[in-house]
Every structure is written in structure tokens, then in C-alpha cells.
Amino acid sequence: MPLARRGLLAAPALLALPARAQGPASPWAPEKPVRILIPYTPGAINDALGRLVGERFQEVLGQPGLVENRPGASGSLAIAATAQAAPDGHMLVVANTANLCMNPFLFANTGYDPRRDITPVAVVARVMNVLVVKAEGPIRSVPELIAAAKAQPGKLTFGSSGAGSSPHLAAELFKAKTGTDITHVPYRGSAPAQVDLVAGRLTMSIDNLPNALGHVQEGRLRALAVTGRERDPAMPDVPTFAELGFPEVEVYVWFGFVGPAALPAPIRDCLSQAIIRIAQLPETAERITRAGATVWTRDPAQMGALIAAELDKWGGVIRGANLRLE
């Protein structure tokens, strides 16, 4: 998820954690620093969230959170390493929708089964996607886009940040639910795809909203619909797909922390409560919002249900599009 972390990290020194947020003494506390693996290189929102939460661990848990970037295999490498770690609470990974709920269907062997090999701990934030076209192009609405695609099967194109990425699969979901045939053009990251879309070399993209927001605000791209359940405050005039008659085109990329399988409940719950408290602090929430994400917290049980629902959803989309990556 190539969202810039500058807005999250370039901020004044954080205030001390309010005493009321610390809660009663926990039955568990880490005996050494907690390693927080990041599945991507520095600059991704996973990286920013891991650092933002990790820097408060000392105050909340009595041990620091040590962030370690471990990119590779589309985010799967760090998840697999965490799945194989000792279930003692001293290793977590900042996971997201793509590496937990899409990769298992895209790759022959990710090294982990998200239903069996990890323990959900906490979700902290999410972003929605937005369908964008060239601002000065002929397509000005979703019905016009669908009509053009059906009139020219396979002729229109959509760009994404890479094969199997969440923008790619969001567009595949759109195609499936609208009965359209639009050709995928994968890029190495969101930025070059946005450049070609602005230049008119692509028809559309359905990208993470923060990646497209600047282009929309500056008049280079036109936003046609957002994939959230409700309109996004950053684009209040842009309708949701549900408003346009396509409620199943709902896509959020969420970010959370998971640990190894068999993580004991007292450890899991202590970590979950600490991470959620940190995410909900006003100064933390403000920095997350500034980066284009929304604070959205879920406890272990809620995160487990979310993972199960997303696996069912994206498994169907990926099988339906006959996608497989090496």
C-alpha cells in the first residue's frame, strides 16, 4: 500500500499517554521489546502505522516496540515469519487486507494459512477506494463508463499498482458486478498508473483514495464513485457505488496487527487493548487522518470475523477472474 507516511510521522512530539487510557494493571506484560514486522519497505502505510503504535509501547506496556521492515513476496514474507514465531507476545506483524485475504488465493504458497496460522489482535485503520477517470475525458459518470465498456468489450483499460494488488482486485470486483470487460494494465506502484491515467493512456483506475486525492483536488482526475459504505469526507460530492445501484462494490483496505497462532488469550487481549488505546488517542487519530486513512478499530473477535468474511469475498473474486500469480 504505497501511501506516504510523511503525514503520520512528521508531527510534534507526542503527548504522554493520558492516565485514564492506561487502564488497570494487565495480567501479562512483555519481558523484552516487542518486534513489529512490516511487510513492505519504508513509506507504506503499514510502516507508518507500525511506527506510530510501536513508539507508544514503552508507555503502555513497559517495553518498546521495535519496528523491522521485512518486505518480500507481496507482503507474505513477514506474515509467514510471524506465523512461525513463538506465541509469547514478542512478535507482531502489521497486516492488511491484501496480504491476509488476497495473497492466499493468488499465490501457490504464501507460507501461512490465515485461518489457521495467525492470531488476530487488532485492526486500527482503513481506507476506501475511488474510481477515477481523466478529468477532461469523455466519461463523466459510472453509467457512462459501463455503457462505454459494454459497447467496446475489452477495449477500455484500467491501471493498478500491480497484478494482485487491492486496486487490481477492486476493479475486478467492479467488472464482475457490472458485467463489463475492461483490460487490466499493471504498473509497479500507484504513481506511474496515475500518471498514465492523467495523460489519457488509461481509461480508469480504482485506487486507494489517498493515492488519487491530490489529482482529484487539483483537477487532473475526475472521481466517479467511492467504494465505502458512506461517502468519504475528503470527497463529499462523490457518490458511493451503493447509491449508484451497486452495493456489492464495497472495498476497504484495512490495517491491523496479528500474531502467531496459539497466542494465549491474556497476551492477545493485553496487546489488543494497548494497540486500540494508542490508535484512538486524539493526536494519533489526527496523524492517521492526515495520511488519508480513517481510524477504525476492531478487537480480536471482530478482526477474526472480518478476516473470514474477506477471505470468502476475495476468494470468489479471484477465482472468478481466474487470477494466479507466480
Side-chain angles (χ1 to χ4, degrees):
M1 305 297 123
L3 306 181
R5 65 190 179 104
R6 240 175 306 172
L8 285 167
L9 299 181
L14 291 175
L15 305 174
L17 188 70
R20 65 179 178 274
Q22 295 176 11
S26 167
W28 176 84
E31 300 173 354
K32 56 185 179 181
V34 178
R35 296 171 65 194
I36 301 174
L37 299 188
I38 309 296
Y40 306 103
T41 55
I45 196 169
N46 295 66
D47 177 76
L49 289 171
R51 294 178 190 279
L52 192 59
V53 170
E55 69 187 12
R56 307 301 295 266
F57 266 27
Q58 182 72 55
E59 298 170 56
V60 182
L61 295 172
Q63 291 286 349
L66 301 182
V67 172
E68 176 185 336
N69 294 90
R70 193 176 294 190
S74 297
S76 294
L77 192 62
I79 309 289
T82 303
Q84 296 160 13
D88 59 8
H90 293 96
M91 182 181 285
L92 298 171
V93 62
V94 185
N96 60 40
T97 314
N99 49 46
L100 273 185
C101 303
M102 297 176 180
N103 284 3
F105 301 104
L106 292 167
F107 298 95
N109 182 20
T110 58
Y112 58 90
D113 181 337
R115 298 183 189 272
R116 182 191 66 216
D117 298 330
I118 58 100
T119 297
V121 175
V123 176
V124 295
R126 70 179 181 180
V127 299
M128 67 175 70
N129 286 7
V130 58
L131 190 161
V132 286
V133 297
K134 183 178 179 180
E136 298 176 356
I139 296 173
R140 304 179 65 86
S141 68
V142 171
E144 288 182 7
L145 173 63
I146 294 171
K150 288 187 174 181
Q152 308 171 75
K155 298 295 185 182
L156 274 59
T157 56
F158 73 91
S160 81
S161 52
S165 65
S166 61
H168 174 199
L169 296 182
E172 293 292 351
L173 178 64
F174 170 77
K175 289 166 54 181
K177 299 305 178 184
T178 58
T180 52
D181 179 9
I182 305 173
T183 300
H184 178 219
V185 182
Y187 289 76
R188 292 187 175 182
S190 174
Q194 296 287 345
V195 168
D196 274 5
L197 183 58
V198 169
R201 289 186 284 270
L202 294 169
T203 307
M204 57 163 277
S205 74
I206 303 183
D207 205 345
N208 299 151
L209 188 145
N211 294 338
L213 183 59
H215 290 296
V216 173
Q217 291 175 331
E218 293 170 18
R220 292 186 292 269
L221 294 179
R222 180 188 304 278
L224 301 185
V226 294
T227 63
R229 199 165 288 181
E230 299 174 348
R231 295 191 181 196
D232 191 276
M235 296 181 176
D237 297 330
V238 179
T240 67
F241 275 101
E243 291 177 69
L244 299 174
F246 302 99
E248 292 177 304
V249 184
E250 180 179 314
V251 180
Y252 288 98
V253 180
W254 45 262
F255 306 86
F257 292 73
V258 302
L263 192 63
I267 297 176
R268 176 201 66 197
D269 293 344
C270 177
L271 289 167
S272 178
Q273 291 160 16
I275 290 167
I276 289 174
R277 284 202 301 271
I278 292 169
Q280 291 176 339
L281 289 172
E283 61 270 26
T284 307
E286 190 274 333
R287 288 162 72 183
I288 291 173
T289 301
R290 193 189 312 157
T294 301
V295 175
W296 190 67
T297 57
R298 292 294 184 270
D299 64 23
Q302 293 168 327
M303 187 178 187
L306 177 64
I307 291 170
E310 295 277 36
L311 285 167
D312 288 343
K313 174 179 180 175
W314 293 113
V317 171
I318 291 166
R319 285 190 293 266
N322 195 29
L323 296 174
R324 198 70 172 175
L325 304 178
E326 298 297 331

